Amino acid sequence: MRLAGYTTLRLGGAPRQLVTATRTDEISQKLREAELRAEPVLVLAGGSNVVVADEGFPGTVLLVRSRGFEVVAEDEATVTVRVAAGEPWDDLVAATVEAGWSGVECLSGIPGSAGATPIQNVGAYGQEVAETVVGVEVYDRLTGEVTRMGAAECGFGYRSSVFKYNDRWTVLTVDFRLFRSTLSAPVRYAELARALGVEVGDRVPLGDARSAVRTLRAGKGMVLDPADPDTRSVGSFFTNPVLDAGAYEALRERAAELGEPPSWPGAGGTMKVSAAWLIDKAGYPKGYQGSGGVAISSKHTLALTNRNGGSTGALLALAREIRDGVHDRFGATLYPEPVLVNCAL
Ligand SMILES: Cc1cc2nc3c(=O)[nH]c(=O)nc-3n(C[C@H](O)[C@H](O)[C@H](O)COP(=O)(O)OP(=O)(O)OC[C@H]3O[C@@H](n4cnc5c(N)ncnc54)[C@H](O)[C@@H]3O)c2cc1C
């Protein structure tokens, strides 16, 4: 059985073995068993942020299918929800909006599991989980123990954490602290504010924020739809490059005749530059076809899609062409956002 059936790209060859954990305690148990066999292990949940080699995975794939969440602490202003790793993320967001708990509403429509959200500090439309995650329960493969880590130990950054590209810890449950409020957090993202007909900084009913985000995302092929090949992706394939002041000035000079690259100031004088803009201006517009059944999404420049009988090899060749083209044109290096399994860019 190929892993293609378990990934949103619909790509990836077979593993040596596939096992499923439906309960939290089963996750650590199955990991211990695989360790006893000295097998490499790939933890896989929604398969929406992995690019798996056509050759598959030479070890055990553990499918995380634990479900459910419970309130573990509350006060007048907040509610702390403990969520099983395998809980589908968007179901959780829907439930929090319904309950009148604010903090993750702008992360509506993101595929995958709750347990994977800390891995790359999932974010969209001005929100990221680092703002609400207060701790995680993990199985530590180095010590064989189940332990808790606070948010500070998770080392959250832009699309990163201590967990990304590091299989030491498997997330078993995640604690999110949310606010009792039927209004959203202040809207930070200009495009979302426009869609809602409000100013940046305003707050809107939670349900309005959720549906506006889902509508915006659907227009970009960023909500999974089995009938739409534009959603057969990992979402954004590249992160936005973060440049120091010198590199940013050099980029602006090389881009002078194209206007100002869309960018956002970050810590320490850095600038985060729109990877979508760089890709488009380097000559890779929406719909750009690679060879072998892969293409840039017709709705979003950052999404590389498996259109029709594509392969991981073809997808990576397209990604390399884009990365190298952007580097030649602008001198900026793009890095992949998904985790590459048994393959490389
Ligand atoms: C259409 C589309 C839109 C997207 N939009 C966004 C977006 O707006 N913002 C964003 O940040 N991401 C986005 N993504 C990427 C993806 O949905 C998220 O990164 C999501 O959190 C991945 O969850 P998953 O369960 O599918 O993880 P998987 O793809 O199964 O795994 C991803 C990585 O996390 C590891 N992992 C999974 N579960 C665990 C666990 N319990 N413990 C330890 N490691 C684990 C895996 O080993 C792998 O390395 C999008 C993807 C798609 C397809």
Side-chain angles (χ1 to χ4, degrees):
M1 111 292 329
R2 301 181 65 237
L3 288 171
Y6 298 92
T7 66
T8 52
L9 270 169
R10 303 274 150 213
L11 294 176
R16 198 173 292 152
Q17 194 181 174
L18 186 73
V19 295
T20 304
T22 55
R23 294 189 324 268
T24 298
D25 62 336
E26 243 186 311
I27 300 174
S28 3
Q29 184 197 319
K30 301 253 154 125
L31 286 166
R32 287 191 184 106
E33 285 167 14
E35 276 155 22
L36 286 176
R37 295 192 301 271
E39 282 244 295
V41 181
L42 169 67
V43 174
L44 192 66
S48 62
N49 211 28
V50 286
V51 179
V52 180
D54 293 316
E55 294 73 30
F57 181 72
T60 297
V61 170
L62 173 62
L63 286 179
V64 177
R65 295 291 182 262
S66 51
R67 289 285 148 85
F69 60 90
E70 57 175 339
V71 173
V72 289
E74 51 188 324
D75 57 29
E76 264 177 32
T78 68
V79 174
T80 302
V81 191
R82 180 161 299 161
V83 189
E87 179 70 10
W89 172 250
D90 197 47
D91 291 0
L92 175 73
V93 177
T96 64
V97 165
E98 185 67 32
W101 301 334
S102 149
V104 290
E105 58 282 350
C106 293
L107 304 176
S108 291
I110 297 178
S113 64
T117 59
I119 310 304
Q120 70 159 7
N121 180 19
V122 155
Y125 295 97
Q127 239 170 29
E128 53 184 24
V129 292
E131 296 160 33
T132 45
V133 170
V134 288
V136 293
E137 183 188 23
V138 293
Y139 173 73
D140 183 342
R141 283 156 76 174
L142 200 64
T143 62
E145 302 287 328
V146 171
T147 157
R148 302 198 72 78
M149 295 167 71
E153 291 169 86
C154 296
F156 291 126
Y158 165 59
R159 292 304 159 273
S160 72
S161 73
V162 294
F163 308 115
K164 193 148 179 189
Y165 290 115
N166 181 348
D167 60 9
R168 173 172 172 184
W169 297 282
T170 299
V171 175
L172 305 177
T173 62
V174 189
D175 288 0
F176 296 92
R177 186 181 294 143
L178 305 169
F179 293 92
R180 291 183 191 278
S181 169
T182 53
L183 291 182
S184 69
V187 174
R188 294 194 197 122
Y189 207 76
E191 184 191 21
L192 178 59
R194 273 196 303 280
L196 286 159
V198 300
E199 299 295 321
V200 168
D202 287 350
R203 304 174 71 188
V204 298
L206 286 178
D208 291 3
R210 174 167 168 78
S211 62
V213 165
R214 284 189 63 95
T215 303
L216 284 173
R217 293 184 66 91
K220 299 174 186 172
M222 287 289 167
V223 179
L224 288 184
D225 173 358
D228 180 359
D230 275 324
T231 73
R232 222 174 290 142
S233 75
V234 285
S236 300
F237 193 92
F238 295 105
T239 53
N240 294 317
V242 177
L243 305 180
D244 64 26
Y248 180 63
E249 273 318 307
L251 166 67
R252 284 183 70 211
E253 275 172 32
R254 288 175 80 155
E257 77 278 14
L258 299 167
E260 278 297 312
S263 43
W264 305 268
T270 58
M271 283 298 245
K272 187 160 76 179
V273 182
S274 164
W277 187 90
L278 294 171
I279 292 169
D280 184 63
K281 301 297 180 198
Y284 306 100
K286 289 175 190 155
Y288 180 85
Q289 300 277 332
S291 48
V294 297
I296 294 179
S297 159
S298 68
K299 302 190 184 81
H300 198 310
T301 324
L302 269 184
L304 305 191
T305 58
N306 168 20
R307 313 302 294 185
N308 200 2
S311 64
T312 301
L315 192 89
L316 291 175
L318 175 60
R320 274 182 216 115
E321 183 189 345
I322 293 169
R323 179 199 58 189
D324 296 347
V326 165
H327 191 266
D328 290 350
R329 175 65 184 84
F330 296 114
T333 304
L334 297 180
Y335 295 99
E337 183 178 303
V339 173
L340 306 186
V341 177
N342 201 22
C343 55
L345 197 57

